[in-house]
Amino acid sequence: MEQIFSSVYNEFCVLLDQRLDLNSLMLSTSRLLKSEISHYDWVGFYLLDAQNNQLVLGPYAGAATDHTHIPVGKGICGQVAASKQTKVVQDVAEQDNYLACSMDVQSEIVVPILKDGRFIAEIDIDSHAYAPFTTDDEQFLLAIAEKLAQLF
Ligand code: SME
């Protein structure tokens, strides 16, 4: 894994050790990732509202978004909630099922947070760069998702 990801992962572990409440931890994690990883321009969490079969926006770092509630299946985020699989979109212009937050966004990665195999939340990253994501991003975000899952 590229050096930057290992060093930011170590900083994330320092946050974990602070035993923050889950919302504060998600907010601090969003801010850490956005500030340290140059191709992460918006970082946030969506949480499953199972009763209403929708995602609800949680803590995030970056511009405010209109997409505070997303039906499961809708957009990149909703597709990940339905499939429970990471989705990497290197060019959002090629996606039919996509919810635009800003015209600056060119790519997006969404990683599910699973607890005992059940989808409970996800990490969503928007980038203003075209095709910036590698398997390092996926592994790094998955490691964070797995740690956070234990706290839900
Ligand atoms: N682009 C997402 C919507 C959420 S924003 O990126 C913050 C989607 O297509 O689901």
Side-chain angles (χ1 to χ4, degrees), residues 7-119:
S7 95
V8 177
Y9 185 75
N10 289 339
E11 289 183 63
F12 166 71
C13 290
V14 171
L15 287 177
L16 275 182
D17 286 344
Q18 292 174 4
R19 313 225 167 255
L20 304 166
D21 65 77
L22 187 54
N23 268 317
S24 305
L25 178 60
M26 288 191 287
L27 180 60
S28 300
T29 302
S30 301
R31 288 176 174 162
L32 172 70
L33 269 52
K34 181 179 182 297
S35 70
E36 297 303 317
I37 300 180
S38 58
H39 58 289
Y40 290 5
D41 293 295
W42 189 95
V43 179
F45 289 84
Y46 280 95
L47 313 175
L48 180 66
D49 165 7
Q51 248 180 358
N52 297 302
N53 203 35
Q54 66 176 355
L55 296 167
V56 178
L57 181 62
Y60 65 93
T65 173
D66 289 341
H67 302 299
T68 56
H69 295 76
I70 299 177
V72 169
K74 194 132 193 269
I76 313 294
C77 292
Q79 291 178 66
V80 169
S83 70
K84 302 195 283 187
Q85 302 284 325
T86 294
K87 196 162 170 66
V88 181
V89 177
Q90 302 284 20
D91 180 2
V92 295
E94 288 180 355
Q95 287 288 313
D96 293 331
N97 190 0
Y98 168 68
L99 301 167
C101 277
S102 129
M103 295 312 286
D104 295 327
V105 176
Q106 294 211 54
S107 53
E108 178 163 359
I109 181 170
V110 181
V111 176
I113 299 176
L114 305 178
K115 191 158 182 101
D116 304 324
R118 280 179 305 113
F119 175 89

